[in-house]
Amino acid sequence: MKGLFIKDLILFKNQAKFYIMFAMICALMLFANFNPAYIIGYMTLMCMMFTFTTISYDEFENGFSFLFTLPYSRRDYVREKYGFGIIVSLTVWILFLAVVFMKSLVGKNMDMGEILPAALMYLFTIQLFCAVNLPIQLKFGIEKGRIALIGVSITTFAVVFGLAKIFELNNMNITAVFRQLGTIRPAPFFGILACICAVIYGISYSFSVKIMEKRQF
């Protein structure tokens, strides 16, 4: 699995100019007083998305057929993709959070007490996006995976809309529910989110392993 990780890091290095340029643009946006939490989340998402790009590289010209002649199992491949996505996104998130923290020390016009919770929400959302999208990409590939992701997004919207209607028909105040959630202290709240994220990752990983074991190359 270490070799697969090094391979993806080299692919990432080959795209370094693009990401450095993008990081510089985000840094300029930060110093132009754009929303710091949004910038942290956006850069984290952009770098995490490279995980899906590595799958397209692996698929190119029947690359999977060659890849699995090497001493790596399909389970190893899936494990590496999840590990790569988590490590890259966490690393970028921490780096940009550190930049924001240093700016807050210099500028003294930024409240880290407000920025950190928002940045954590972006991080959890990105992790959930990764967990949902990886099985789709492994099942359908990059091109068909985009179409499948649109379908998942529409389904999610329909479910959320349906739940809102159910709340409305049963005279349940959804705003009050969100207010109640807002009263939970940050540490337990984000602890619950982390547990939910871990469970979803576990389910996603199981699906991805089954998908890869059934695929024919």
Side-chain angles (χ1 to χ4, degrees):
M1 197 172 78
K2 181 181 176 182
L4 293 171
F5 193 81
I6 292 170
K7 170 188 70 68
D8 286 347
L9 282 179
I10 291 170
L11 288 172
F12 192 75
K13 181 184 173 184
N14 291 339
Q15 301 291 326
K17 288 181 181 178
F18 168 76
Y19 287 103
I20 289 170
M21 182 185 70
F22 207 82
M24 290 172 67
I25 293 170
C26 286
L28 289 172
M29 290 169 66
L30 179 62
F31 285 95
N33 293 323
F34 277 74
N35 185 339
Y38 172 78
I39 293 169
I40 294 169
Y42 192 66
M43 194 64 203
T44 303
L45 177 64
M46 287 294 295
C47 291
M48 186 280 296
M49 292 280 284
F50 187 76
T51 306
F52 310 140
T53 304
T54 64
I55 297 173
S56 69
Y57 277 117
D58 294 340
E59 283 183 326
F60 185 66
E61 292 189 349
N62 298 315
F64 276 132
S65 300
F66 167 74
L67 198 61
F68 292 120
T69 61
L70 301 174
Y72 303 113
S73 68
R74 299 186 183 207
R75 185 179 292 269
D76 289 335
Y77 181 83
V78 172
R79 193 181 299 124
E80 187 273 333
K81 291 303 174 195
Y82 277 82
F84 184 82
I86 292 169
I87 290 170
V88 166
S89 58
L90 278 175
T91 302
V92 172
W93 185 84
I94 290 168
L95 284 173
F96 268 80
L97 184 67
V99 171
V100 170
F101 178 70
M102 286 187 286
K103 184 180 183 295
S104 72
L105 293 176
V106 174
K108 300 186 183 296
N109 60 343
M110 301 167 74
D111 184 2
M112 289 303 296
E114 292 181 1
I115 294 169
L116 183 57
L120 280 168
M121 284 301 299
Y122 277 114
L123 178 64
F124 283 122
T125 304
I126 289 164
Q127 296 305 320
L128 290 175
F129 176 76
C130 182
V132 170
N133 205 27
L134 266 173
I136 294 172
Q137 301 298 330
L138 292 171
K139 173 71 175 176
F140 298 104
I142 296 299
E143 295 303 322
K144 291 181 180 177
R146 286 181 189 142
I147 299 169
L149 185 60
I150 292 169
V152 170
S153 301
I154 293 170
T155 304
T156 303
F157 174 79
V159 169
V160 171
F161 183 78
L163 287 172
K165 281 294 181 185
I166 291 169
F167 270 85
E168 186 181 326
L169 291 171
N170 288 281
N171 296 318
M172 297 171 70
N173 192 341
I174 194 167
T175 306
V177 174
F178 281 111
R179 277 197 197 125
Q180 193 65 29
L181 286 173
T183 62
I184 302 173
R185 286 185 298 173
F189 179 71
F190 286 112
I192 292 167
L193 279 182
C195 291
I196 292 170
C197 204
V199 169
I200 292 173
Y201 255 120
I203 295 169
S204 171
Y205 173 77
S206 299
F207 275 116
S208 294
V209 169
K210 288 178 182 176
I211 287 166
M212 285 303 292
E213 286 177 346
K214 289 179 180 178
R215 281 192 69 173
Q216 300 293 324
F217 303 113

